[in-house]
Amino acid sequence: MKIRRIAELLEAEVLCGEENLDGEVHSACGCDMMSDVLAFVKEQAVLITGLCNPQVVRTAEMMDMRCIVFVRGKIPPREVIELADEAGIVVLATNERMYVACGMLYQCGLSGGSFLNG
Amino acid sequence: MADSVNFHFDIDGDNFTSAGEASVMIKKLLRQMEFSPDVIRRVSVAMYEGEINMVIHANGGTADVNVFCDRIEIVLKDNGPGIADVRLAMQEGYSTAPDNIRSLGFGAGMGLPNMKRYTDDMRIESEVGRGTTIYMTVNV
Ligand SMILES: Nc1ncnc2c1ncn2[C@@H]1O[C@H](COP(=O)(O)OP(=O)(O)O)[C@@H](O)[C@H]1O
Ligand SMILES: [Mg+2]
């Protein structure tokens, strides 16, 4: 699925990374515990989260993720968006809640992928 | 060519916002040095968890990364409160992190286990009241 399609499905605002909207992603991870992301993510390229601090971006960067979706209408502070922009990560903000956002993307073919460490 | 290339970082203990900057920098440097994505990820994630720990549990410290052709060594040193029971601290889910840290996405007690998981060797030296030094090695 193209990142652009994720933005359309979630009626999300694109906060940075316009130039990477045509990037292809195949799986995603919905999570608010960054250490879990660091423990289990393998090839998931999209992080869907309700947290808005800089560590979300660094965690995504560590795991080579390409897109972060902030749910529940949260807009991260500007320095968070700038960090993501520097890292080449697309940042989307949607009004959908976590459960619904994940469900919609899953239904449209974005899988959970396989995970490390069981 | 020298045996190893060394990088040194001071980790600011008062600033959760900047925690992880050193690990991001190391990730970039290792990429320039053309290590494999797997090695880069293991080194940078292990170092990142260690950096976060130094900020949330030990008021900062230093990180030294020594890059050899066949391995990468990471030494994280702090003068924080130390770890009384290292075996307990290594258990998944064990955490003394306060709630405000948990609400930022850390403090699930997965950091030290993650560091162990991603490295080939990890050794913790810690003395209560003196500080903690963690040695990690990732083989290339
Ligand atoms: N550098 C450190 N200095 C003092 N205590 C530490 C340090 N690193 C870890 N600890 C202790 O070990 C526990 C487990 O660490 P970790 O697995 O990273 O989980 P978390 O950071 O989520 O609490 C921490 O809650 C803390 O009590
Ligand atoms: Mg930790």
Side-chain angles (χ1 to χ4, degrees), chain A residues 32-43 51 53-56 58-59 61-65 79 83 86 116-117, chain B residues 16-21 23-24 27-28 31 41 44-45 48-49 52 102-108 110-111 114 117-118:
Chain A
D32 283 349
M33 287 312 295
M34 294 304 116
S35 282
D36 281 354
V37 175
L38 293 165
F40 301 118
V41 159
K42 207 164 121 196
E43 80 277 353
L51 292 185
N53 65 68
Q55 301 310 337
V56 173
R58 293 212 178 91
T59 298
E61 194 172 359
M62 288 298 150
M63 305 320 274
D64 309 298
M65 299 175 100
E79 64 268 23
L83 264 186
E86 275 167 42
L116 276 184
N117 311 307
Chain B
F16 183 77
T17 297
S18 63
E21 277 177 357
S23 306
V24 169
K27 182 158 186 156
K28 286 185 184 137
R31 231 188 242 144
R41 186 184 284 193
S44 54
V45 171
Y48 180 52
E49 287 281 15
I52 296 275
R102 221 152 279 154
S103 68
L104 291 166
F106 284 88
M110 297 287 286
N114 274 352
R117 212 179 342 246
Y118 282 110

Side-chain angles (χ1 to χ4, degrees), chain A residues 14-77:
Chain A
V14 182
L15 300 180
C16 74
E18 298 265 359
E19 67 282 9
N20 293 322
L21 281 174
D22 286 318
E24 282 286 341
V25 291
H26 304 285
S27 55
C29 163
C31 197
D32 283 349
M33 287 312 295
M34 294 304 116
S35 282
D36 281 354
V37 175
L38 293 165
F40 301 118
V41 159
K42 207 164 121 196
E43 80 277 353
Q44 291 77 2
V46 182
L47 175 61
I48 304 152
T49 185
L51 292 185
C52 272
N53 65 68
Q55 301 310 337
V56 173
V57 177
R58 293 212 178 91
T59 298
E61 194 172 359
M62 288 298 150
M63 305 320 274
D64 309 298
M65 299 175 100
R66 317 255 303 276
C67 172
I68 301 172
V69 180
F70 292 108
V71 296
R72 263 181 284 129
K74 292 189 185 170
I75 304 287

Side-chain angles (χ1 to χ4, degrees), chain B residues 53 56-58 78 81-83 89 94-97 107-113 132:
Chain B
N53 277 354
I56 64 183
H57 304 297
D78 67 61
I83 303 174
Y94 176 83
S95 175
T96 60
M110 297 287 286
L112 291 174
T132 302

